Amino acid sequence: MERTLVIIKPDGVQRGLIGDILSRLERRGLKLVGMKLMAISDELAHRHYGVHEGKPFFDSLIRYITSAPVVVMVWEGPEAIALVRRTMGTTNPQEAAPGTIRADLGVDIERNLIHGSDGVETAQKEISLFFAPEELVDWERSTDRWITR
Ligand code: IDP
Ligand code: MG
């Protein structure tokens, strides 16, 4: 079982797409174990996107992610990290496969709606950046046995 950090970025919130994006992950069968609406501070943005520091799009990325509220979530499931990334689609919506969130809802690489952790270590690091342990809920879902065996 894996956990992954997902962020509905400012464009997703502003465009009223929280429900659509959430619904795709929920219907897929992933389990929501943490969620909040928040503003990302400049400091938190730098820590979250530190790996991209020095790249030409970095300043613009920081301005974008701090420009308006976001919804941060932790989703749990088998292979949750890769599964979320495939449901998101590739970084550039123009190249993303139809049916993915980024392709269906976006057209611009700097307005690509959603973040998902890219590996087990980054997922753990990102989850702890955004959530205190007591904000995550361990719960049994009555439909679990109809989703996994
Ligand atoms: P990911 O979000 O698909 O994991 P990353 O390479 O981790 O993609 O980049 C983080 C974010 O930075 C992207 O989601 C996108 O918003 C932005 N970004 C990445 N590459 C570019 C680029 O070449 N031009 C402009 N923005 C970019
Ligand atoms: Mg990334």
Side-chain angles (χ1 to χ4, degrees), residues 26-103:
E26 195 178 33
R27 281 183 296 154
R28 186 93 203 248
L30 289 163
K31 189 198 285 184
L32 187 63
V33 296
M35 177 163 78
K36 57 190 173 187
L37 178 78
M38 65 179 285
I40 298 185
S41 69
D42 204 55
E43 194 214 332
L44 180 57
H46 277 79
R47 291 175 73 183
H48 175 65
Y49 278 132
V51 63
H52 297 297
E53 209 149 354
K55 294 185 185 168
F57 58 84
F58 182 70
D59 290 348
S60 173
L61 176 59
I62 297 294
R63 275 199 304 277
Y64 163 45
I65 205 71
T66 58
S67 63
V70 298
V71 174
V72 289
M73 297 166 284
V74 177
W75 289 90
E76 182 183 281
E79 305 289 331
I81 296 165
L83 201 144
V84 164
R85 286 193 62 91
R86 278 189 230 110
T87 302
M88 281 164 47
T90 54
T91 307
N92 187 347
Q94 294 179 4
E95 287 158 14
T100 62
I101 291 165
R102 283 167 165 172

Side-chain angles (χ1 to χ4, degrees), residues 123-135:
Q124 279 166 3
K125 200 184 125 215
E126 291 176 356
I127 289 167
S128 66
L129 264 183
F130 285 89
F131 287 93
E134 64 271 18
E135 291 181 299

Side-chain angles (χ1 to χ4, degrees), residues 92-144:
N92 187 347
Q94 294 179 4
E95 287 158 14
T100 62
I101 291 165
R102 283 167 165 172
D104 287 356
L105 304 175
V107 293
D108 187 318
I109 191 168
E110 295 198 40
R111 299 287 182 271
N112 63 0
L113 295 152
I114 180 169
H115 166 85
S117 307
D118 66 6
V120 175
E121 272 178 35
T122 30
Q124 279 166 3
K125 200 184 125 215
E126 291 176 356
I127 289 167
S128 66
L129 264 183
F130 285 89
F131 287 93
E134 64 271 18
E135 291 181 299
L136 301 178
V137 182
D138 279 311
W139 60 292
E140 276 204 19
R141 189 171 48 180
S142 56
T143 51
D144 275 345

